[in-house]
Amino acid sequence: MARYFYSDSVEDFLEKSPEQILGEINAEARTTAEAAQQRAWLTQVEILQIELVSFRGTGSVYFEFSVPRVGKRIDVALVLHGIVFVLEFKVGETSFTRSAVDQVWDYALDLKNFHETSHAAAVAPMLIATRASSQEIGPSFSERNDGVLQPILLAPVQLAYAIQCVLTSIQTSGRTEAAVWEQGRYKPTPTIVEAARALYAGHSVEEISGSGAEAKNLGETTQAVISLVHRAVQDRQKIVCFVTGVPGAGKTLVGLNISNHVFPEAEGKAVYLSGNGPLVKVLQEALAADRHQSLRGTADEVSKGEARRAVTSFIQNVHHFRDAYIEDQTAPHNHISIFDEAQRAWNRAETARFMKEKKGISDFPMSEPEFLLSCMNRHEWAVVVCLVGGGQEINRGEAGITGWIDALVDTFPDWQVYVSPELADSEYAADVALQRLEERGGLEMTSALHLSTSMRSFRASGVSSLIKSLLDLDSEDAKARVLELGDRYPLVITRSIEKAKEWVRKQARGNERFGLMVSSQAQRLKPLAIDVRVATNPVHWFLKGKDDVRSSFYLEDAATEFDVQGLELDWACVVWDGDFRHALGGWTHSSFRGNRWERISKPERQAYLKNAYRVLLTRARQGMVIVVPEGEAQDHTRLPAMYDGTFRYLSGLGLRCI
């Protein structure tokens, strides 16, 4: 797919007829657009040919510049004297809606954050309502002051004047010329929801992840799995492969990409399975809403319920999949199953406990990995893809990679196993089990099953390493990493939740999502109007808009680590409670029971609590504010001493206090 439908120097653009330009746009679009779109393009061309006359001989113009991360195209990108103008036209409109303002701002932010030659450029978003009266123009930089102007609202006759105002107000140093700018690589880092939407709308992994090492890595891993599927079909084999990756490398994206791939020999698509209930619900609802909306008014129109049922055929909760085949002994519909966060599957004891309490089945003999493999083993051929991460365990009874390998060694000796060499690293805690697998035979190592390149935003790169050092009490390394992030990733701390809310609202631009997060053990934040016992609906929290009180934007409902694992925000407000305190040079772990805090002594539970904060502190793509409350001297459950040590430690790392 072309990056744009039409590009020309301003000089040549002014010399061509509107009809000639429209013909070139249509030729590149390769489809015949509706009459309304044709009229819109003509209107845009006519306005620009009037307003750009005074800029003849400078810069270039680009129509329908692709923003595949969100599956959209910018109406017009204009590069003059190295400044990038993002023009969004609302043809026939007399006013400027909030959603239209956010749309053009989102486009500008997308270029700033994900287009390499726009990182250092000034980006000016402009919204033109073609029937609007003249507006007051005063270009100003936003709160971040990172080179992205606030949207400028215009009538068509003001465009030339507004452009000149921007050119005059911005210093000439550091400008990138058009020829260099358009060669810049687009390296988007979509949220998992954005990625899923783009994939199922027909975009490729390369489009939504750029053309650099990240896309190459994702493409190689995806192709390696697809090749294993073809091998399984051809040789009538049963294969399991383990895909590993560095933090932020896109393991879930690989899983969704494979589930979207059509395998004729498998009678359709693979199924993506995850035990992360909130993630599955958010993905299902987002894709169902998109499908319902995109087919509206067409011959293929479907209801929201029908769209939801279609989506659940290839994205499912792994527990629902498991429950469906407890009594049903037939083979699953899909020959190919992708298990995300496979290390979180339950061990035998936890599975037996669940089966007895919830299903009335006594002495269930299998772990969750063993049972899931037994379901797929009913096929003549099958492929199981395990996407695995390290250091993310936040639930009791998780089997880890060992649970899968033990099942393969003890129960399924005829399955061929493919792993990346990195699976032997200590973070996966699978070295002993791998030795058993090697002794069994049928094991093959392939480096293509490891995602070695992080896809994190250039702003957020290094955040996961900072949080690791912070939690591991490596103060010197954490201080260095805070300095390294600098203004690129604002990271501040406060004792006031109201200041934190005000800060995060000011930082967010366009449709950048922000929200309030706390540990599931943070039971003494009730005086701050945060009650973790009140369940938050992650679908509403992550998907609803700014006008919905259930959305994260309202900063009323707080999400816990269970709600947000695997998902992301642009800006996070994390409120720290007394469950995980810094005191006497180390962390203390506590659980609130009845009327007091009780010390957690079991190493396993301590690790869960630490990992809960790891999850919370790594959800933000753009920046984060941490709230450590003051406490209350008259409340023995919220004494200032319970919070002061944590505040001193975090502020001592160099986090700016507000």
Side-chain angles (χ1 to χ4, degrees):
M1 190 177 292
R3 180 173 285 187
Y4 40 77
F5 286 176
Y6 170 84
S7 169
D8 225 333
S9 66
V10 172
E11 179 79 30
D12 291 342
F13 170 76
L14 295 173
E15 292 299 321
K16 294 179 179 178
S17 70
E19 291 73 22
Q20 182 182 354
I21 294 169
L22 182 61
E24 293 185 36
I25 292 174
N26 279 308
E28 186 59 47
R30 298 177 187 174
T31 59
T32 303
E34 295 177 356
Q37 180 62 71
Q38 300 288 339
R39 288 194 297 271
W41 281 332
L42 269 177
T43 300
Q44 293 166 21
V45 171
E46 290 166 354
I47 291 170
L48 288 171
Q49 288 193 326
I50 293 170
E51 295 297 308
L52 296 183
V53 169
S54 58
F55 304 102
R56 183 186 294 273
T58 62
S60 296
V61 60
Y62 308 84
F63 275 71
E64 300 294 328
F65 193 92
S66 178
V67 188
R69 184 181 69 92
V70 291
K72 301 280 182 69
R73 286 181 177 273
I74 298 168
D75 282 347
V76 176
L78 178 67
V79 181
L80 295 175
H81 297 292
I83 296 174
V84 182
F85 295 86
V86 176
L87 311 182
E88 182 65 21
F89 291 84
K90 296 303 176 185
V91 177
E93 297 294 329
T94 59
S95 60
F96 307 89
T97 64
R98 180 71 252 178
S99 62
V101 173
D102 285 344
Q103 179 186 12
V104 71
W105 211 346
D106 286 344
Y107 290 160
L109 292 166
D110 192 276
L111 289 179
K112 168 62 71 173
N113 292 332
F114 307 120
H115 184 235
E116 284 188 326
T117 47
S118 296
H119 288 345
V123 184
M126 293 182 169
L127 181 63
I128 303 104
T130 61
R131 293 186 180 178
S133 56
S134 294
Q135 307 290 305
E136 182 178 343
I137 297 174
S140 60
F141 289 95
S142 62
E143 185 76 16
R144 285 293 307 279
N145 197 29
D146 61 351
V148 179
L149 275 65
Q150 293 190 48
I152 303 167
L153 314 184
L154 304 167
V157 295
Q158 295 179 287
L159 182 55
Y161 173 70
I163 291 173
Q164 190 57 56
C165 286
V166 173
L167 292 174
T168 302
S169 67
I170 295 176
Q171 299 298 316
T172 58
S173 61
R175 292 181 175 181
T176 302
E177 295 307 319
V180 176
W181 178 82
E182 70 174 69
Q183 295 301 316
R185 291 191 304 167
Y186 181 64
K187 297 175 60 179
T189 53
T191 66
I192 197 59
V193 175
E194 290 169 341
R197 281 173 160 159
L199 282 171
Y200 290 102
H203 291 275
S204 67
V205 163
E206 289 74 20
E207 286 180 289
I208 64 174
S209 60
S211 57
E214 302 88 344
K216 183 173 183 289
N217 201 191
L218 286 168
E220 287 179 350
T221 301
T222 300
Q223 192 53 53
V225 175
I226 290 172
S227 296
L228 290 176
V229 172
H230 294 319
R231 183 177 301 179
V233 173
Q234 181 178 337
D235 299 338
R236 286 309 193 245
Q237 280 188 326
K238 293 168 184 173
I239 290 174
V240 60
C241 61
F242 293 88
V243 175
T244 56
V246 300
K251 294 185 293 294
T252 299
L253 180 54
V254 166
L256 290 171
N257 193 33
I258 294 166
S259 71
N260 191 47
H261 187 85
V262 176
F263 297 95
E265 60 270 50
E267 300 176 358
K269 295 182 178 180
V271 60
Y272 168 88
L273 301 166
S274 174
N276 185 336
L279 172 65
V280 171
K281 288 178 181 177
V282 169
L283 288 177
Q284 287 177 342
E285 189 63 25
L287 294 180
D290 278 10
R291 180 176 173 82
H292 170 66
Q293 189 62 38
S294 65
L295 295 177
R296 209 169 175 181
T298 71
D300 298 321
E301 182 173 348
V302 295
S303 68
K304 189 73 173 288
E306 290 172 321
R308 195 176 288 115
R309 284 190 292 275
V311 170
T312 55
S313 68
F314 54 86
I315 294 181
Q316 297 179 23
N317 188 308
V318 68
H319 302 309
H320 297 168
F321 177 90
R322 174 202 63 203
D323 294 350
Y325 293 101
I326 289 175
E327 295 182 5
D328 184 353
Q329 294 301 306
T330 62
H333 173 69
N334 306 84
H335 282 258
I336 308 150
S337 296
I338 302 118
F339 296 99
D340 201 358
E341 297 292 348
Q343 77 281 356
R344 297 182 61 189
W346 291 340
N347 58 30
R348 183 173 296 186
E350 186 65 19
T351 307
R353 183 194 65 79
F354 172 84
M355 291 297 181
K356 183 176 181 179
E357 293 179 3
K358 302 296 184 181
K359 300 295 180 182
I361 302 173
S362 299
D363 303 320
F364 192 79
M366 290 182 274
S367 66
E368 199 168 39
E370 186 177 354
F371 179 72
L372 293 170
L373 285 168
S374 75
C375 294
M376 297 302 293
N377 196 54
R378 298 169 191 172
H379 284 295
E380 180 186 4
W381 68 269
V383 175
V384 171
V385 182
C386 292
L387 309 175
V388 297
Q392 296 284 317
E393 295 80 4
I394 57 176
N395 275 314
R396 69 176 184 180
E398 294 179 350
I401 306 305
T402 300
W404 291 89
I405 295 177
D406 285 347
L408 289 163
V409 172
D410 298 334
T411 313
F412 305 103
D414 58 329
W415 279 63
Q416 185 72 24
V417 184
Y418 295 83
V419 306
S420 74
E422 283 73 15
L423 196 65
D425 289 353
S426 59
E427 65 180 309
Y428 298 105
D431 51 341
V432 174
L434 277 173
Q435 272 189 320
R436 294 188 68 212
L437 194 54
E438 285 185 279
E439 291 168 2
R440 185 207 76 161
L443 173 65
E444 192 168 320
M445 298 272 187
T446 172
S447 58
L449 293 177
H450 180 68
L451 294 161
S452 59
T453 308
S454 175
M455 287 179 57
R456 293 201 189 280
S457 159
F458 82 100
R459 294 194 187 282
S461 61
V463 172
S464 59
S465 297
L466 162 63
I467 299 307
K468 182 180 187 304
S469 297
L470 180 157
L471 294 174
D472 289 347
L473 301 173
D474 188 347
S475 300
E476 293 308 311
D477 186 69
K479 289 177 184 177
R481 293 186 182 278
V482 169
L483 284 173
E484 185 182 321
L485 287 175
D487 293 335
R488 172 166 53 89
Y489 185 94
L491 184 56
V492 301
I493 189 170
T494 182
R495 308 303 296 265
S496 166
I497 192 167
E498 293 307 321
K499 282 186 178 180
K501 290 180 178 181
E502 180 185 5
W503 182 87
V504 79
R505 287 190 183 108
K506 283 185 176 180
Q507 299 302 313
R509 299 170 288 186
N511 284 305
E512 290 179 342
R513 185 169 285 274
F514 52 86
L516 190 65
M517 297 188 296
V518 298
S519 156
S520 60
Q521 298 299 312
Q523 295 205 32
R524 290 308 298 140
L525 297 178
K526 288 172 66 178
L528 303 182
I530 298 173
D531 189 348
V532 295
R533 294 175 301 177
V534 178
T536 293
N537 185 321
V539 171
H540 298 323
W541 201 81
F542 274 105
L543 298 181
K544 294 298 182 181
K546 295 178 180 179
D547 59 347
D548 195 311
V549 297
R550 299 167 297 177
S551 77
S552 67
F553 289 117
Y554 262 73
L555 296 174
E556 291 184 2
D557 294 336
T560 71
E561 69 273 17
F562 298 111
D563 299 316
V564 301
Q565 189 174 43
L567 294 158
E568 291 179 307
L569 297 169
D570 290 293
W571 301 88
C573 176
V574 178
V575 187
W576 207 295
D577 199 13
D579 55 333
F580 192 60
R581 312 172 202 167
H582 189 274
L584 300 176
W587 296 113
T588 61
H589 311 72
S590 303
S591 176
F592 194 77
R593 296 186 180 278
N595 191 40
R596 63 191 178 92
W597 290 103
E598 293 182 356
R599 187 69 61 89
I600 295 174
S601 57
K602 289 185 177 180
E604 183 183 59
R605 290 185 61 205
Q606 290 181 352
Y608 292 155
L609 187 54
K610 179 179 177 180
N611 283 338
Y613 275 86
R614 188 192 313 278
V615 169
L616 297 173
L617 295 169
T618 54
R619 293 307 93 194
R621 295 155 56 86
Q622 304 282 350
M624 174 170 50
V625 56
I626 298 172
V627 183
V628 182
E630 292 275 7
E632 173 55 58
Q634 307 307 314
D635 183 349
H636 72 279
T637 69
R638 300 177 58 247
L639 295 172
M642 296 178 177
Y643 301 95
D644 290 346
T646 302
F647 181 79
R648 282 194 299 269
Y649 172 63
L650 296 176
S651 57
L653 299 179
L655 276 64
R656 181 170 65 87
C657 297
I658 61 169

